[in-house]
Amino acid sequence: MLDQAHIHQIIVADEIGMASLFPTLKHKLTAEEVEFVSLVYCTQSTNYHFQPEIEILQKHFPHRLVVFFQPSTCSNKHYPLREVLEAIINSNTSKVVEVLLSAASELCFEAETELHFLGIQNISFQEQYFLNQ
């Protein structure tokens, strides 16, 4: 049986997704079965909501959390995800990789497409508690 104490949790979120995901992020960081969390936080601006909270979590969990603040390219809502996701996956040392997506449908589709290309199939989606207005 596979040891569940070696999960690398990869999370991809945008601004609205982070609002729904933040409690889950904190839970993952304190869960015994999760060894490491990589957060890819995508936004269309330089204003990352939850950035102060995320930076505090990085200080609390310096060996368990790495964050990639990922801006979109101009106005077309395209997020250059392949490079950052490939780097995360290539440097993975955990036995199990799980992915959680919490974002607008366009970003979820782009991330899911890139992850499938990179050979990752274990992808979950966080229910959105807030709407983008």
Side-chain angles (χ1 to χ4, degrees):
M1 187 164 144
L2 188 59
D3 181 4
Q4 290 299 313
H6 296 285
I7 296 173
H8 180 173
Q9 181 72 61
I10 299 172
I11 299 173
V12 178
D14 61 7
E15 295 101 337
I16 297 300
M18 185 55 66
S20 299
L21 180 78
F22 196 73
T24 303
L25 172 62
K26 291 190 307 182
H27 172 74
K28 295 289 184 182
L29 287 169
T30 59
E32 289 183 25
E33 67 273 7
V34 177
E35 180 178 31
F36 195 77
V37 176
S38 295
L39 171 63
V40 180
Y41 187 1
C42 302
T43 186
Q44 295 179 41
S45 69
T46 58
N47 183 17
Y48 291 90
H49 301 288
F50 291 97
Q51 185 171 358
E53 292 91 338
I54 291 169
E55 290 173 352
I56 291 169
L57 287 176
Q58 284 181 293
K59 290 177 182 170
H60 283 271
F61 300 97
H63 302 291
R64 294 190 69 183
L65 174 64
V66 64
V67 180
F68 301 88
F69 291 101
Q70 192 73 24
S72 69
T73 55
C74 302
S75 61
N76 64 359
K77 290 187 173 183
H78 173 74
Y79 298 91
L81 292 174
R82 181 169 293 172
E83 289 180 13
V84 68
L85 291 173
E86 190 170 25
I88 291 168
I89 292 165
N90 286 344
S91 62
N92 175 59
T93 57
S94 299
K95 294 180 181 179
V96 177
V97 174
E98 294 181 354
V99 177
L100 179 60
L101 304 179
S102 181
S105 58
E106 300 89 8
L107 178 56
C108 284
F109 176 77
E110 185 174 343
E112 185 177 26
T113 300
E114 296 296 345
L115 289 161
H116 284 168
F117 174 80
L118 295 168
I120 302 297
Q121 303 300 321
N122 192 6
I123 302 170
S124 301
F125 296 85
Q126 171 76 38
E127 178 184 354
Q128 298 299 295
Y129 302 128
F130 306 96
L131 299 175
N132 192 3
Q133 299 186 14

